[in-house]
Amino acid sequence: MEDGHVRFRLWAPAEDRVTLVSGGHEIAMHAQADGWHEVETDLVKPSSPYLYRLADGSEIADPASHAQLADVEGPSIVTDHESYAWRNTGWKGRPWEDAVIYELHIGTFTPQGTFRAGIEHLPHLRDIGITAIEIMPVAHFSGRRGWGYDGVLHYAPHPAYGTPDDLKALVDAAHDHGIMVLLDVVYNHFGPVGNMLHRIAPPFFHPERHTPWGAALAFEREPVRRYFIDNALHWLLDYRFDGLRFDATEEIVDESHHHVLLEMAATIRRTVTDRQVHLVVEDQAKRKSLLNRDGGDVHHYTAAWNDVFHHALHIVATGEDGGHYAKYRDDTDDVLRRATARGFVSEDRESDRVGPLPQKPLPQQVNVNFLQNHDQVGNRAFGERLLTLTDPALYRVMSALLFLAPPVPLLFMGEEFGERRPFHFFADFDGELAEATRAGRIDEAENFGGLPDGKTANDLPDPNDEQTFLASKLDWSHAASPEGQRHGAFVRSLIRLRQAKIRPLLAEGEAPEPSILASDPGALAIDWHFAEKTLSIRANLTHDKRNWTSSSGETVFEIPAVGGAGPSITVSIRPT
């Protein structure tokens, strides 16, 4: 948008003629030899609705729409991102070692389920000690409610949550409180309803390759790469997010000479230089090559979700060892110790590698640890939270392990005040797609704990029922209850201790050398040898007496075993 002119651009190699339609104007777009259709005009103003008319007379939304009038198949809205008056123009972000992350879903975080309503609870998060919120995907998906992982218009915030300016106001307000804002983005597939690219740009997809959620994307093609790289820059520049969390990056397959994930990170690092930006991957391939720091600075990605830590700890906490947890049932202790000490329990496979493996040890803060997240809660049969599935004494010990081990901790919304309401999977589909979604919940339930005794598939909540969505909203009255305040005080004390004792160790810059010491089954004994100090954690995750290699130094935190046996943890620091 420049000098009152708006430029419209559409990649539609399957179309020989495209017309821009807005108000009473019908403007022919100029077809280029490479499949692009372009026009620049002063006849269409900001806030105006528009559509693209194809050669057969049908009309579609802009696949790169920045806002929609209503649903994904209706008119797009010309959006002027320069019109928002930012308050925090001097915000420079925060270093990653500060990060204590809070994952939230905008629609269920508040009763209203909007960007603006979320602002009200930012002081609560600040006072608990949260330094970063991670917002589940907001890219426009079909229907009125959903988790967001079926986005179709990746540049447009869903109008159920508010306008683009409302989202900017949330980011601005978070910065007021010193809180970073990360956005979860999905670059591995498009949702099943409302995506016109299959029709107008078939080369966008690989017909012979599929992800678990649909056709794979043809990242070897430049327009596909640009669509997603520019989308990342869109959120970081137009909305001033502090970073992005990339969903299921193992499903982003690129056989070109320079993997799109590396080009994405390099372009972001080269473009956004006025503040700190953090890029986090969820990568089932566990690729260290995405996190290479051999050049000194963060060239690629800042961190990765450490789901192996969660899976092993979940077996210990609940005894559930089927589905996704089955591969860790036979060596749970060993996996948990290695996932806690180093984060990575396996090396990159050659076939998965996107670049050279790091030759230097990676710092501990490349790992993001969690006791639960949207997947681990919402994909359960009845959306149960971990606090309702395990012994409270063990839960407190696990919480201390989460916050006082070196990796960056992540909380799922409500975890800070001991929320017990479920968080379900929910959607807003009709017909055959709704039936397929219901059927899919059975398999997901089996992967995440299975059906409780006495329950059958017929008892599962209907993901398309609005009540399933409403039942997933946080109970803020519990946060104000005596129980909620006691739990909140415990979490607050752990975060303060982390910032006072653990964060300075991470800020030293050098990766610590971890040692896994001898301990009985169900116990952890780990030392992290930083440059000047050694951090020691000794934990008993059973209800029996356990022994381990003793530690020395100043005890900075302790939950003692009751009567000499049962869940306990001791954290100490000594000179290295």
Side-chain angles (χ1 to χ4, degrees):
M1 202 172 300
E2 187 175 341
D3 298 328
H5 286 71
V6 182
R7 185 186 183 202
F8 296 86
R9 199 162 186 251
L10 176 70
W11 193 55
E15 296 294 319
D16 58 6
R17 185 173 73 255
V18 179
T19 303
L20 172 67
V21 179
S22 179
H25 303 292
E26 298 183 6
I27 305 167
M29 300 182 72
H30 309 298
Q32 311 294 315
D34 55 2
W36 287 99
H37 300 255
E38 299 180 359
V39 70
E40 187 172 309
T41 179
D42 61 357
L43 298 177
V44 182
K45 305 299 182 185
S47 301
S48 299
Y50 69 98
L51 290 161
Y52 291 128
R53 182 177 296 156
L54 306 179
D56 65 2
S58 60
E59 296 178 343
I60 65 169
D62 186 347
S65 167
H66 286 206
Q68 288 293 104
L69 188 62
D71 61 37
V72 292
E73 296 175 326
S76 303
I77 302 293
V78 178
T79 305
D80 180 7
H81 289 288
E82 299 298 321
S83 65
Y84 181 82
W86 290 92
R87 293 190 311 277
N88 282 286
T89 55
W91 172 259
K92 299 298 182 184
R94 300 184 65 153
W96 187 242
E97 56 264 24
D98 284 2
V100 176
I101 307 172
Y102 185 90
E103 185 190 25
L104 65 88
H105 177 274
I106 285 292
T108 57
F109 181 57
T110 66
Q112 303 91 332
T114 63
F115 299 128
R116 293 277 181 181
I119 294 172
E120 175 188 348
H121 295 285
L122 292 174
H124 159 80
L125 298 182
R126 175 203 61 206
D127 293 345
I128 286 287
I130 300 301
T131 60
I133 58 175
E134 181 182 301
I135 300 174
M136 288 171 64
V138 301
H140 202 342
F141 52 85
S142 175
R144 298 159 294 173
R145 56 190 177 272
W147 276 13
Y149 294 93
D150 280 327
V152 174
L153 302 178
H154 289 84
Y155 289 73
H158 199 297
Y161 304 143
T163 66
D165 280 0
D166 291 337
L167 177 52
K168 292 172 186 177
L170 173 60
V171 175
D172 221 1
H175 293 166
D176 284 342
H177 296 290
I179 297 174
M180 300 181 283
V181 190
L182 313 179
L183 180 66
D184 199 341
V185 292
V186 183
Y187 293 165
N188 48 53
H189 77 289
F190 282 80
V193 178
N195 174 26
M196 288 291 112
L197 288 170
H198 285 284
R199 175 181 174 187
I200 65 171
F204 213 92
F205 303 91
H206 270 299
E208 73 285 357
R209 187 188 301 158
H210 287 79
T211 74
W213 315 284
L217 301 165
F219 284 105
E220 296 82 3
R221 295 183 179 274
E222 186 60 25
V224 181
R225 299 170 82 88
R226 287 261 49 96
Y227 179 92
F228 289 103
I229 292 173
D230 287 351
N231 182 258
L233 293 173
H234 163 69
W235 295 119
L236 294 169
L237 297 174
D238 291 333
Y239 288 88
R240 303 194 182 184
F241 280 98
D242 297 279
L244 303 171
R245 180 265 191 188
F246 297 82
D247 178 71
T249 51
E250 74 280 359
E251 296 294 344
I252 297 175
V253 178
D254 179 11
E255 296 178 353
S256 69
H257 71 283
H258 186 43
H259 199 286
V260 66
L261 286 172
L262 299 189
E263 183 180 350
M264 175 105 55
T267 304
I268 290 169
R269 302 296 182 199
R270 188 171 59 248
T271 305
V272 188
T273 58
D274 61 336
R275 54 198 166 88
Q276 299 194 56
V277 168
H278 307 298
L279 308 177
V280 182
V281 293
E282 179 200 31
D283 191 69
Q284 296 297 325
K286 311 293 185 296
R287 290 173 286 190
K288 290 183 182 179
S289 51
L290 286 170
L291 303 164
N292 200 331
R293 284 159 166 72
D294 286 347
D297 296 328
V298 180
H299 296 299
H300 301 331
Y301 291 84
T302 312
W305 275 25
N306 185 9
D307 59 338
V308 175
F309 171 84
H310 165 271
H311 289 354
L313 199 56
H314 187 87
I315 295 173
V316 172
T318 67
E320 297 174 352
D321 60 4
H324 289 309
Y325 309 121
K327 64 188 295 187
Y328 308 113
R329 68 163 67 112
D330 295 330
D331 57 352
T332 304
D333 284 334
D334 179 57
V335 169
L336 179 57
R337 290 164 184 160
R338 288 187 290 138
T340 304
R342 298 183 181 276
F344 291 88
V345 297
S346 61
E347 294 294 333
D348 289 27
R349 294 179 300 183
E350 184 67 36
S351 59
D352 292 328
R353 203 169 296 168
V354 296
L357 279 173
Q359 299 304 302
K360 298 179 180 179
L362 293 170
Q364 284 288 317
Q365 57 268 37
V366 302
N367 299 297
V368 176
N369 284 1
F370 43 85
L371 303 184
Q372 54 198 327
N373 59 42
H374 71 275
D375 266 329
Q376 318 306 337
V377 179
N379 281 320
R380 296 184 63 81
F382 296 95
E384 309 99 318
R385 291 171 178 266
L386 184 61
L387 187 58
T388 69
L389 300 171
T390 193
D391 172 56
L394 178 55
Y395 185 84
R396 286 172 64 85
V397 169
M398 292 191 302
S399 296
L401 179 63
L402 174 71
F403 287 110
L404 301 181
V408 167
L410 177 145
L411 294 173
F412 183 56
M413 62 176 190
E415 193 174 349
E416 81 283 8
F417 60 76
E419 175 66 284
R420 292 176 178 272
R421 276 189 184 175
F423 179 77
H424 299 290
F425 179 82
F426 46 83
D428 188 19
F429 296 131
D430 298 314
E432 292 183 2
L433 189 54
E435 288 300 323
T437 304
R438 292 187 193 99
R441 301 322 301 160
I442 299 172
D443 291 337
E444 287 293 0
E446 290 301 322
N447 282 328
F448 291 91
L451 290 170
D453 290 342
K455 298 290 185 179
T456 70
N458 292 330
D459 297 313
L460 291 174
D462 181 354
N464 296 291
D465 187 338
E466 186 178 15
Q467 288 304 311
T468 304
F469 164 70
L470 295 175
S472 302
K473 287 181 178 280
L474 284 185
D475 179 10
W476 283 101
S477 67
H478 184 67
S481 71
E483 180 185 351
Q485 292 199 346
R486 283 193 299 271
H487 193 91
F490 174 62
V491 171
R492 185 183 300 110
S493 68
L494 290 172
I495 294 176
R496 287 178 177 173
L497 185 58
R498 177 183 179 83
Q499 300 295 19
K501 298 293 185 178
I502 311 303
R503 184 212 176 278
L505 301 177
L506 301 176
E508 291 180 2
E510 293 296 321
E513 180 59 36
S515 297
I516 301 173
L517 307 174
S519 60
D520 287 345
L524 292 175
I526 302 173
D527 288 348
W528 290 270
H529 306 288
F530 291 87
E532 297 187 6
K533 294 182 179 180
T534 292
L535 170 68
S536 299
I537 290 182
R538 306 291 185 264
N540 179 6
L541 303 175
T542 77
H543 288 84
D544 302 315
K545 181 177 175 57
R546 288 292 184 264
N547 296 305
W548 47 65
T549 304
S550 62
S551 63
S552 60
E554 174 196 3
T555 297
V556 297
F557 180 83
E558 185 175 25
I559 297 177
V562 177
S568 65
I569 187 169
T570 301
V571 181
S572 61
I573 297 177
R574 69 179 188 273
T576 296

